[in-house]
Amino acid sequence: MNWQSLLSSQRAGSKPTSSEASRSAFEQDYDRIIFSHPFRRLQDKTQVHPLPEHDFVHTRLTHSLEVSSVGRSLGRKAGDVIVQRHPPLKDKFSLFDFGAIVAAASLAHDLGNPPFGHAGEDALSDFFLEHAYGKSFQNKVTEAEWNDLLKFEGNAQGFRIINSNQYGLKLTLSTLGAFTKYPCAAFFPERDKSKKSQKKFGFFQSEKEIFSTTAAQLELTPAGEDVWLRHPLTFLVEAADDICYSIIDLEDGCRMGLVSYNDTVELLANILQENFKREKLDRIGGQNERIGVLRAMTINKLVEECTEVFLAYEKHILDGSFDKALADHCKSKDALEKISEISVDKIYRARHVVEIEASGHEVLPGLLQEFVTAGEHIMRKSPSRKYKNLALLLPVEMRTEIEQGVSTYEMLRIVLDFVSGLTDRHALSLYRRIKGIAL
């Protein structure tokens, strides 16, 4: 792969985009995302702690903003060196273009996440895996489509959202490429899970042609049928996410009393090494302020380390022989692994997290049961009053699309768009209302 093709400012289905003097096409991507409706919904979607009552606990919105900030730093640091290494790039691109692409893709990285976080992904999948009604659709769709439905994937849903005409984002090809952590389809028998880019999937059958066209225009290297090598800047987007959720989830856990202050300091000190000065830390007033300072220093060090790995393996990333997470190869990988172990044990399995995640396994399949049934009634033009009313609760553009005639798979995707797009509180309140639990 080559950087000239990878740094494309062309938008899907459009002519190449000209940049303004004050704002590049990649910076325009960032602006389009941050003002979009799907991005706004992230303010009430779970990061780790569902339905948070504390104002300092992160939601998907604050997490995405922070990942974007870290991504911009990673992109600029790496881009500064890459432009020097490849002189032909200097006439067209700068370190700021690299930073803008990674920042935009990072900002969008969680747009496809459903209510209740990763538990919500499992709950939506369970409808087709475990529920008799959901399983009944296997014979009504193709094998490839069924594989999409068996595992709801937030990354693929995000790619669907940013390419939806409903939101009109029309991002540049470079941002679309950098966004796609898993450039392969769900139905992929030769999947090699030793490769990070193939551990999950990045697009549904409904968007397969869009990604195929994007990959061709960016000149991503094919790695089989319906699978490609990653866009190199995806490694930086992934690193920004890994850095933020590792360090900031720990910070939240400490502030909520799930991890002790002393343990948190020790875990962060293991990354900072010689840069950790206990006497300086003790001079800072409050405990939250101390943890905040350590968090900032730790993120800065991890940005430096992940940039070093990216630049060291640049050639191998371009030819596909490096396919690992940067954070798993940086100098602090053992310290990050220790943080991950503590987080799983004390934060991600905390009682309040598990309780509300469990409710998601009732709420989301319950909503799918009702609205998929409504979708079938729309397709059959059924006179059922109940499902006519439920259909009216779908956004008008979704209801109209089903009414105009779609396949069973397309109807299921539309209903999944609706349910997965709900915020945590909206999903819970809608479930209570249609079930007659609350009015």
Side-chain angles (χ1 to χ4, degrees):
M1 295 184 286
N2 69 86
W3 286 111
Q4 291 279 5
S5 299
L6 292 165
L7 301 174
S8 172
S9 62
Q10 183 172 340
R11 302 191 185 278
S14 305
K15 296 178 180 179
T17 302
S18 59
S19 297
E20 301 171 7
S22 60
R23 197 169 61 128
S24 73
F26 310 125
E27 290 170 326
Q28 291 170 31
D29 283 349
Y30 183 95
D31 297 343
R32 291 181 181 202
I33 295 163
I34 208 165
F35 282 100
S36 70
H37 183 63
F39 184 77
R40 205 157 51 242
R41 288 194 300 235
L42 296 178
Q43 67 184 315
D44 193 23
K45 286 199 174 186
T46 297
Q47 170 60 15
V48 174
H49 307 282
L51 307 174
E53 298 176 359
H54 305 279
D55 59 3
F56 54 73
V57 173
H58 289 80
T59 65
R60 286 282 167 189
L61 184 75
T62 49
H63 168 72
S64 296
L65 290 167
E66 289 165 345
V67 173
S68 182
S69 178
V70 172
R72 181 184 291 109
S73 296
L74 284 162
R76 287 181 178 179
K77 285 179 178 293
D80 191 24
V81 175
I82 290 169
V83 170
Q84 300 304 317
R85 285 181 180 176
H86 304 273
L89 295 178
K90 290 183 180 180
D91 294 335
K92 292 183 64 177
F93 304 104
S94 72
L95 62 94
F96 299 104
D97 292 311
F98 284 81
I101 294 168
V102 180
S106 298
L107 190 69
H109 85 282
D110 269 348
L111 286 184
N113 277 40
F116 307 106
H118 293 299
E121 289 182 304
D122 291 339
L124 294 172
S125 304
D126 283 351
F127 176 71
F128 298 99
L129 283 166
E130 307 290 344
H131 294 243
Y133 180 46
K135 290 196 289 187
S136 72
F137 288 99
Q138 182 171 4
N139 296 325
K140 300 177 183 179
V141 298
T142 68
E143 184 178 10
E145 290 169 346
W146 183 241
N147 274 270
D148 280 359
L149 297 169
L150 286 180
K151 179 60 180 175
F152 183 89
E153 176 52 59
N155 291 283
Q157 184 66 20
F159 189 79
R160 179 173 166 84
I161 287 171
I162 60 180
N163 286 285
S164 169
N165 290 331
Q166 180 181 350
Y167 304 114
L169 290 173
K170 292 187 178 178
L171 304 181
T172 62
L173 298 177
S174 291
T175 298
L176 288 178
F179 169 88
T180 310
K181 289 170 66 175
Y182 309 103
C184 56
F187 186 56
F188 176 32
E190 300 84 21
R191 188 182 304 277
D192 180 358
K193 291 196 175 182
S194 68
K195 295 181 177 180
K196 192 66 189 291
S197 66
Q198 295 182 18
K199 291 189 73 171
K200 298 180 182 180
F201 63 97
F203 50 86
F204 298 120
Q205 290 299 304
S206 48
E207 284 72 49
K208 184 175 75 171
E209 290 305 315
I210 295 175
F211 188 80
S212 178
T213 301
T214 299
Q217 291 175 309
L218 290 170
E219 297 182 16
L220 300 184
T221 302
E225 186 177 355
D226 296 337
V227 57
W228 290 262
L229 297 184
R230 273 181 170 178
H231 190 294
L233 296 184
T234 307
F235 289 91
L236 298 178
V237 175
E238 180 179 60
D241 189 24
D242 289 345
I243 290 169
C244 286
Y245 79 70
S246 296
I247 305 306
I248 295 172
D249 287 358
L250 177 64
E251 179 185 16
D252 279 350
C254 179
R255 292 187 179 210
M256 295 183 72
L258 301 174
V259 181
S260 74
Y261 168 76
N262 288 332
D263 284 349
T264 303
V265 171
E266 181 181 348
L267 289 165
L268 297 179
N270 287 339
I271 294 175
L272 291 172
Q273 296 290 326
E274 68 278 1
N275 293 324
F276 175 70
K277 308 294 182 185
R278 170 69 71 172
E279 62 279 5
K280 285 188 176 181
L281 183 68
D282 291 341
R283 288 200 293 268
I284 299 173
Q287 179 174 301
N288 287 343
E289 287 73 18
R290 293 174 189 171
I291 295 298
V293 169
L294 287 180
R295 176 250 300 146
M297 293 174 63
T298 303
I299 288 176
N300 187 59
K301 188 162 190 291
L302 290 172
V303 166
E304 296 287 347
E305 291 183 8
C306 287
T307 303
E308 287 177 10
V309 176
F310 181 82
L311 292 171
Y313 286 95
E314 182 203 352
K315 290 182 180 179
H316 303 286
I317 289 171
L318 289 169
D319 68 23
S321 57
F322 181 91
D323 197 343
K324 306 289 183 183
L326 301 179
D328 292 343
H329 283 260
C330 72
K331 295 174 183 175
S332 297
K333 62 181 185 298
D334 293 336
L336 285 171
E337 179 61 30
K338 183 63 176 176
I339 289 175
S340 177
E341 292 172 5
I342 295 291
S343 296
V344 168
D345 184 46
K346 295 189 176 182
I347 300 174
Y348 305 145
R349 293 176 183 166
R351 183 178 181 86
H352 72 280
V353 173
V354 173
E355 284 178 345
I356 298 181
E357 284 188 351
S359 72
H361 281 272
E362 290 294 322
V363 170
L364 298 184
L367 289 173
L368 279 182
Q369 175 90 25
E370 297 298 336
F371 284 102
V372 167
T373 305
E376 285 204 293
H377 278 255
I378 295 172
M379 293 173 71
R380 295 199 304 263
K381 296 181 170 54
S382 167
S384 165
R385 184 178 185 87
K386 173 183 177 180
Y387 291 107
K388 274 187 176 180
N389 286 337
L390 276 176
L392 291 173
L393 297 179
L394 291 170
V396 63
E397 62 274 7
M398 292 183 176
R399 187 171 70 251
T400 301
E401 189 173 353
I402 298 173
E403 288 172 345
Q404 289 175 343
V406 293
S407 69
T408 297
Y409 172 73
E410 290 167 335
M411 181 274 290
L412 293 172
R413 284 257 68 92
I414 290 168
V415 174
L416 282 164
D417 289 343
F418 171 65
V419 175
S420 67
L422 298 171
T423 64
D424 292 17
R425 286 183 175 83
H426 190 184
L428 189 56
S429 65
L430 182 60
Y431 177 79
R432 287 171 171 167
R433 288 173 182 172
I434 67 174
K435 291 292 186 181
I437 298 170
L439 295 174

